[in-house]
Amino acid sequence: MTPTARLAAVLAAALMPVHGQTRAAMPPGAGWAGGDRELAERLRSNRPAPERAAAASGLAAYVMRSYEARTALLERLAAAREAVAVRRVAAKSLSWAGHDARVPEALLALAQDSSAEEDLRALSYKAMYRMGHRSEVAEAFEAAVGSAREPTLV
């Protein structure tokens, strides 16, 4: 596969909706009981991974207006020892917070981290693309073409 064809295939996958759904007007988890501080505490706690993932999903409803929500999600996204499921939900929740310069930087760093899981890397590219950072995603893909640990389709 040529580098251009590979880039086209990955970008096409980035545009595909997750689980056959389009992006809703309100992010998933918006109905979670508890405020952003309570959810951030749950996300940072030693609770089981499914509970932390649920808290990360719930924080999606707050990322546009809560610095604390974005910070907690960014911490979990960057934590290499965090469960992959929690990091995936954190990346999805952060895709709503493109106005915070820390978010695309963190997503791009994760996407370019060759030691990270491939599906998590691809999801990071997808989140950036959805935020409107299309040229940055295209440049990162072009730089990654030929890499042995290039992200696969999500």
Side-chain angles (χ1 to χ4, degrees), residues 20-117:
Q21 298 176 354
T22 57
R23 192 166 177 176
M26 196 63 163
W32 179 279
D36 60 332
R37 290 178 189 223
E38 180 184 337
L39 290 169
E41 288 173 17
R42 287 177 188 242
L43 181 60
R44 290 177 174 132
S45 72
N46 290 331
R47 295 173 186 255
E51 263 190 69
R52 292 193 313 274
S57 178
L59 283 171
Y62 298 98
V63 294
M64 292 293 291
R65 63 182 183 268
S66 172
Y67 182 84
E68 184 168 357
R70 292 189 303 273
T71 300
L73 289 164
L74 286 167
E75 288 170 1
R76 294 298 87 204
L77 184 69
R81 291 187 175 182
E82 181 61 84
V84 175
V86 176
R87 294 176 79 193
R88 285 178 56 91
V89 176
K92 288 178 185 179
S93 295
L94 285 167
S95 71
W96 293 88
H99 65 287
D100 187 333
R102 301 173 304 157
V103 174
E105 289 174 7
L107 289 169
L108 184 59
L110 178 59
Q112 293 177 335
D113 181 5
S114 62
S115 65
E117 295 77 9

Side-chain angles (χ1 to χ4, degrees), residues 109-131:
L110 178 59
Q112 293 177 335
D113 181 5
S114 62
S115 65
E117 295 77 9
E118 290 182 4
D119 63 333
L120 186 57
R121 293 177 63 204
L123 185 64
S124 296
Y125 279 124
K126 185 175 181 177
M128 283 185 56
Y129 192 86
R130 283 187 163 182
M131 283 190 286

